[in-house]
Amino acid sequence: RAPRKWVCSSAWLERTPDKGEVEVQVFPDPHYNSKKAIQDFMKEYFGSCHCAAVKFRFISDETVEIWKCNCSICHSYDYQHLFIKHEDFELISGRKELSSYKFGTKSAEHLFCKICGIKSYYQPRSHPEMYSVNLRCVNNPPPIRKVIEFDGVNFDESIKEI
């Protein structure tokens, strides 16, 4: 059995075979910051477009769940969606090199590098509080724990099931 990773006097993280690291709290601690403790056990990743004009970093679990979508734009790129909360993502460089494209409902903002044309991340309509990072654009990406096949062709019906 692996040693416990204590995050405060009353809580620790344990690795389980099916759920990865799970927080275990023995009794409530009013000074315990759960979000901070969990971030301490997340890993920092870096990514970019093909020409590296657009560079970003984010924190994420060490194994991830991704979505594969069959809509007209995602399918053509074989895009691997890794959803990252806005506060866990930072654009390092290339803001001026991004070109925005919206279609259909115009609620998703697809961001392409003006130089190489790669969409390394964007603002999806399915997760307005997160960015979708293309896992294929991440240097040394985390291993994929689970793949969700999302029916983006029938978005309105499919999103209700999530």
Side-chain angles (χ1 to χ4, degrees):
R1 182 175 181 147
R4 292 180 175 160
K5 295 179 182 179
W6 288 90
V7 294
C8 75
S9 62
S10 64
W12 64 86
L13 296 179
E14 286 187 357
R15 184 168 296 281
T16 63
D18 57 333
K19 295 181 182 173
E21 285 191 333
V22 177
E23 179 182 331
V24 177
Q25 192 164 359
V26 179
F27 55 87
D29 181 344
H31 304 291
Y32 176 63
N33 181 340
S34 177
K35 182 177 178 183
K36 170 76 170 94
I38 291 169
Q39 282 182 342
D40 288 344
F41 291 97
M42 295 175 78
K43 188 174 176 187
E44 184 175 47
Y45 296 93
F46 294 86
S48 69
C49 63
H50 183 258
C51 71
V54 176
K55 294 181 183 178
F56 55 88
R57 70 174 156 219
F58 62 92
I59 59 171
S60 176
D61 291 330
E62 292 184 13
T63 62
V64 296
E65 175 181 290
I66 64 166
W67 282 22
K68 299 269 301 190
C69 176
N70 67 349
C71 79
S72 60
I73 196 165
C74 295
H75 180 72
S76 64
Y77 278 93
D78 197 23
Y79 198 98
Q80 293 183 342
H81 297 267
L82 173 60
F83 298 108
I84 303 295
K85 293 178 184 174
H86 290 154
E87 62 265 21
D88 293 338
F89 178 93
E90 179 186 1
L91 181 62
I92 298 170
S93 64
R95 187 171 309 279
K96 291 182 180 177
E97 302 306 330
L98 290 171
S99 179
S100 175
Y101 173 66
K102 295 181 178 185
F103 69 100
T105 63
K106 302 199 183 317
S107 53
E109 184 177 18
H110 300 270
L111 301 167
F112 296 88
C113 174
K114 293 177 187 177
I115 299 168
C116 67
I118 295 297
K119 179 173 74 168
S120 53
Y121 81 99
Y122 79 105
Q123 178 59 65
R125 76 173 168 157
S126 62
H127 294 73
E129 71 289 352
M130 298 179 172
Y131 290 118
S132 173
V133 170
N134 188 347
L135 192 65
R136 297 183 183 282
C137 294
V138 177
N139 305 327
N140 301 308
I144 298 169
R145 171 178 74 245
K146 183 177 181 181
V147 176
I148 303 292
E149 298 290 338
F150 182 74
D151 183 9
V153 170
N154 300 298
F155 182 91
D156 293 330
E157 295 82 28
S158 299
I159 199 68
K160 293 174 188 173
E161 297 175 19
I162 302 299

